[in-house]
Amino acid sequence: MKTISGFICLGCTIVILSTFGSTSLDKPQTEYNYTFPVRVVANCPMNMSDWQAAAERTGCNDTNAYHCVPDRFHLKLVEFCYYKTPNLVSKGNCLELISYGVLNHVKCNNFTLGCPEKPYLSNEIYVYPVCLSLVAGCFISDVQCLRQKCEEQQRQLTAPITTKELQCPFNVFIILFVFSLLALIFFSGFYLWKHIQKKRGR
C-alpha cells in the first residue's frame, strides 16, 4: 500500500504542476472584490528597469505606484496602480492583494529559501523573486503548502486510507522543490538576458 501511495502522490505532484493554470485552480477576476482595476499577468517584472517599464506602460506614477503581487488566492499574479504610496514591508514577509485591494503581509519564515531578510518597499518586491513565483496556489518556496496541496489531491483521487499511508514521501517534495527552483532560475536568467539584449540594442 505504501508503494501505491507513493506513486499516487508522485502523480498528484505532476497533476499540480501541469494544471497550474487550469479551471480547477482558476478564480475569475470578478471574485477578487478589488476596489480598483487589476490585470492578470503571467510574470511580474524581476528587475528595476523592467519594473519601471511596466509602470510607464500601465500609466502608474509616484502617487499611484506600480505594483505586481500574487492575488489573494495565490493562483495568479496581478499588476495594478496602487492608490497609496508604497508600503514598508517588514522582514520575513511577502505580499498578497486581498479583498478590497489591500496589500497584506504574508509570513514566509517557513520558506526553504528566499524569504526577505530585511525591510523593503512594496514596489521593490522584485528583489525577492520567491515572493513573485507561484505554483498550484503556493509560493514555490513554501514546501509545507505544497505538501498540503499534494495530500489534498491524494484525498480526491483515492478511497479513504490511514493517515500514515496518506503522507507523501519526502523525495516527492524534493523533486517538486528542485523543479520550482529550476523554474525560478530559468525565469531570472531570461529576464537578465532580456535586459542585456536591451542594453546592446541601444
Side-chain angles (χ1 to χ4, degrees):
M1 181 64 73
K2 289 182 179 180
T3 302
I4 295 174
S5 178
F7 277 114
I8 291 173
C9 197
L10 179 59
C12 85
T13 302
I14 296 173
V15 169
I16 287 174
L17 292 173
S18 62
T19 61
F20 173 47
S22 70
T23 54
S24 63
L25 292 175
D26 255 356
K27 295 289 182 182
Q29 186 170 339
T30 54
E31 294 187 23
Y32 285 155
N33 295 324
Y34 297 149
T35 57
F36 49 83
V38 303
R39 179 173 178 266
V40 174
V41 294
N43 303 102
C44 289
M46 293 292 190
N47 56 60
M48 182 183 294
S49 60
D50 286 347
W51 194 273
Q52 292 173 344
E56 293 178 6
R57 170 177 53 80
T58 53
C60 300
N61 51 44
D62 293 338
T63 304
N64 298 282
Y66 175 83
H67 283 71
C68 188
V69 300
D71 66 8
R72 68 192 186 96
F73 303 109
H74 296 178
L75 293 174
K76 296 180 179 179
L77 298 167
V78 292
E79 65 176 9
F80 52 93
C81 298
Y82 198 46
Y83 65 97
K84 294 182 179 179
T85 54
N87 294 344
L88 182 64
V89 184
S90 55
K91 68 176 183 179
N93 287 276
C94 288
L95 287 173
E96 64 181 355
L97 191 66
I98 60 174
S99 297
Y100 306 109
V102 176
L103 278 176
N104 186 50
H105 292 194
V106 181
K107 290 190 179 298
C108 57
N109 296 324
N110 62 323
F111 284 14
T112 51
L113 56 82
C115 182
E117 298 180 348
K118 60 182 180 180
Y120 63 97
L121 292 175
S122 56
N123 64 337
E124 295 178 353
I125 193 172
Y126 56 82
V127 177
Y128 302 100
V130 296
C131 291
L132 299 175
S133 303
L134 307 173
V135 58
C138 300
F139 290 96
I140 66 167
S141 201
D142 189 350
V143 176
Q144 182 179 356
C145 177
L146 292 171
R147 177 170 186 166
Q148 290 174 352
K149 294 291 183 180
C150 179
E151 293 180 352
E152 286 172 8
Q153 289 290 329
Q154 184 171 337
R155 290 189 185 97
Q156 295 175 7
L157 296 173
T158 63
I161 53 180
T162 65
T163 303
K164 185 175 181 179
E165 292 170 341
L166 185 61
Q167 293 177 349
C168 295
F170 181 74
N171 64 324
V172 171
F173 304 107
I174 294 296
I175 294 171
L176 181 56
F177 173 72
V178 170
F179 178 88
S180 301
L181 183 60
L182 289 174
L184 177 61
I185 293 172
F186 171 78
F187 283 119
S188 298
F190 174 77
Y191 278 107
L192 180 60
W193 174 81
K194 186 178 178 182
H195 181 63
I196 293 173
Q197 291 298 108
K198 284 183 179 179
K199 282 189 174 181
R200 288 179 178 176
R202 292 177 182 175

